Amino acid sequence: MPDWLMSLMWGTGAGAALVLGAAVSWRWSIPSKVVSTIMSFGAGVLISALAFELVGEAVKGGGLWPTAAGFLAGAVVYVGANTLLAKAGGKHRKRSGSQQPSEKDSPGSGTAIAIGALLDGIPESVVLGVGLLAGGAVSPAMLAAVFISNVPEGLSGTAGMKKAGRSRGYVFGLWGGIAVLSGVAALLGYVALEGAPDELVAFITSVAAGGILAMLADTMIPEAFEEHHNLTGLTAAVGFLTAFTVHHLG
């Protein structure tokens, strides 16, 4: 199978985890503590993956300064875009409670939530395609991290959308569209950087990493700690260790 097709397939497959989480959340009412526990596990997984799979590998391939510059740029761009979306009603797009506004309460918030969800998912997908350039195969640890973190994102975001009165068509159209665009993003990550200098690959990889870390702090971690209980920190640690173990064994 051509590498470009593999990047498209793996990106779409990882994005499909959002639809899986949405389907479960739409069919059943998941207790908020369960949602926050799964989210904390997913946050731990992503923190580990960006540290070892993205930043660590970027430094090895392209050096410290391109990596540092890209990481900071990714965080700045994400925070800037997220700030604009928050003002438009997309701030609580990953929250499972009643924080999300309805379209009646905040006109245009549905569009802001959709764009925000896309903003959250694209950096993760791009690095799946970029990973093919380095090793000729998608990193199992990164793929697992994206898939595992996407399931609770779909769970939590859908729960909040239901409470805000969003329709079934909106919810599944949103997550299904992001799954498709995740595949396209992975494909573009592969095609655009094929044959690029190592420093540029490191820069783009770390841009994604910086964006992912900013996303975790702004959207996933608040939901992860929404329902405080004694095992929240331990769950995040287990998620981190799980992703690190996959990375080490891979």
Side-chain angles (χ1 to χ4, degrees):
M1 182 184 297
D3 285 347
W4 67 265
L5 184 57
M6 286 181 62
S7 65
L8 177 64
M9 180 184 71
W10 287 121
T12 304
L18 292 165
V19 182
L20 174 62
V24 172
S25 187
W26 191 269
R27 176 64 180 81
W28 294 284
S29 180
I30 310 298
S32 55
K33 281 193 175 183
V34 173
V35 174
S36 66
T37 297
I38 298 173
M39 189 67 87
S40 62
F41 180 85
V45 165
L46 270 183
I47 291 171
S48 177
L50 72 88
F52 296 105
E53 291 291 320
L54 301 185
V55 176
E57 294 301 318
V59 169
K60 290 179 184 178
L64 174 61
W65 297 117
T67 301
F71 191 86
L72 183 59
V76 168
V77 170
Y78 179 90
V79 169
N82 195 51
T83 299
L84 295 176
L85 291 169
K87 293 179 180 179
K91 181 178 181 179
H92 298 299
R93 56 188 174 273
K94 283 190 173 69
R95 307 301 292 272
S96 61
S98 301
Q99 298 94 335
Q100 287 193 32
S102 65
E103 196 65 26
K104 180 180 178 181
D105 294 333
S106 179
S109 59
T111 300
I113 289 170
I115 295 174
L118 182 62
L119 175 69
D120 297 339
I122 291 303
E124 302 169 356
S125 303
V126 168
V127 295
L128 292 177
V130 173
L132 277 167
L133 297 173
V138 171
S139 163
M142 193 63 211
L143 180 62
V146 174
F147 190 91
I148 291 170
S149 65
N150 277 349
V151 171
E153 286 187 47
L155 276 171
S156 181
T158 299
M161 290 173 198
K162 283 177 66 178
K163 292 176 180 177
R166 306 287 176 187
S167 68
R168 180 194 299 266
Y170 173 87
V171 171
F172 288 98
L174 170 63
W175 297 128
I178 291 176
V180 172
L181 290 174
S182 293
V184 173
L187 172 62
L188 291 176
Y190 175 82
V191 173
L193 293 176
E194 188 175 15
D198 291 342
E199 292 79 8
L200 179 59
V201 174
F203 179 82
I204 297 300
T205 300
S206 55
V207 164
I212 291 171
L213 183 59
M215 179 273 290
L216 284 167
D218 283 354
T219 63
M220 283 187 72
I221 290 176
E223 173 62 25
F225 291 94
E226 175 71 15
E227 292 291 332
H228 296 287
H229 54 81
N230 293 334
L231 298 180
T232 299
L234 177 60
T235 305
V238 170
F240 183 98
L241 183 60
T242 299
F244 174 74
T245 301
V246 174
H247 167 79
H248 182 73
L249 293 177

